[in-house]
Amino acid sequence: MGMSAKMILKGNSIDPSQVTFLSTQVTENAYKAILSKRIAATLLPPPYAEEAEAKGYSRLAEAKDYAPFSTIGLVASMQALVKNPGIVQAVIRGMLKTMAYLQNTMNRHEIVQYIAGSFKIESSVAQKAFPSILAAYSPDGTKSRKAVEREIEIYRETLQVAKAFTPEDLEDMSILKKLH
């Protein structure tokens, strides 16, 4: 989240070195800190951002508009990939079915109710958060090469890494492609 905040600040001509960053560790802590006015601003994912708006807070920026950082990924060790390819494929198939279910408009009401219940928020807030939550998932489980390249560039610049990387150096999409 720190890199996203810095990208937003830079994108608005604010020097990040002029801002004090605090680590709240988990989203719930950041949400409580902004509501208690202990901090001036924070990054909140959906549905927390929508709930804060419902309580009178203003959305200042969207991190996705400044940096294409991944928010969701599926990770497995090389050992698991070699030892249990059937389980890995089953998990990926389940993920793809879940993403298809999320994308199906027939399921929207059920998903909104699930969000409201899981986060203990009003159904109207969950309804407003649904498009932001849905946007975090791609229908086919991939991310555009251009977005991944931009993300690598941001990390290399921010972390001052000299070595160049390609998306293929960091991601193995072969199982996902095989299952499509």
Side-chain angles (χ1 to χ4, degrees):
M1 293 277 193
M3 277 204 267
S4 293
K6 288 176 183 176
M7 296 299 294
I8 291 168
L9 292 169
K10 286 180 184 177
N12 287 282
S13 302
I14 299 170
D15 180 359
S17 69
Q18 300 301 306
V19 175
T20 302
F21 291 89
L22 302 172
S23 174
T24 58
Q25 302 299 317
V26 294
T27 300
E28 291 83 5
N29 291 347
Y31 182 67
K32 289 175 185 174
I34 194 78
L35 292 182
S36 68
K37 302 187 184 328
R38 292 179 183 215
I39 58 174
T42 190
L43 292 172
L44 292 173
Y48 294 96
E50 288 77 12
E51 177 135 25
E53 282 183 305
K55 292 183 179 192
Y57 288 80
S58 297
R59 188 179 299 240
L60 302 175
E62 292 279 349
K64 66 180 175 50
D65 295 337
Y66 294 87
F69 293 123
S70 297
T71 57
I72 298 171
L74 186 59
V75 179
S77 68
M78 290 304 293
Q79 181 183 7
L81 294 172
V82 172
K83 240 178 151 179
N84 303 306
I87 292 173
V88 171
Q89 289 180 19
V91 167
I92 293 172
R93 271 192 216 95
M95 179 190 69
L96 291 171
K97 286 180 182 178
T98 300
M99 288 190 293
Y101 192 86
L102 289 171
Q103 299 285 336
N104 185 332
T105 56
M106 299 285 290
N107 303 320
R108 185 178 182 128
H109 178 74
E110 178 186 350
I111 296 165
V112 167
Q113 293 311 308
Y114 175 80
I115 294 166
S118 294
F119 290 92
K120 297 173 181 59
I121 59 176
E122 293 294 322
S123 188
S124 61
V125 175
Q127 180 74 28
K128 188 174 179 192
F130 180 75
S132 295
I133 292 170
L134 192 60
Y137 300 90
S138 72
D140 66 356
T142 64
K143 188 174 182 179
S144 78
R145 181 178 178 87
K146 185 177 178 178
V148 175
E149 288 172 342
R150 176 67 178 126
E151 190 172 342
I152 290 169
E153 181 185 314
I154 291 167
Y155 278 114
R156 286 187 59 232
E157 179 186 311
T158 304
L159 301 173
Q160 299 177 342
V161 174
K163 184 179 177 185
F165 294 96
T166 67
E168 293 76 21
D169 293 329
L170 304 174
E171 300 176 326
D172 180 356
M173 305 298 271
S174 61
I175 298 171
L176 180 64
K177 288 177 184 174
K178 177 181 168 186
L179 293 175
H180 277 293

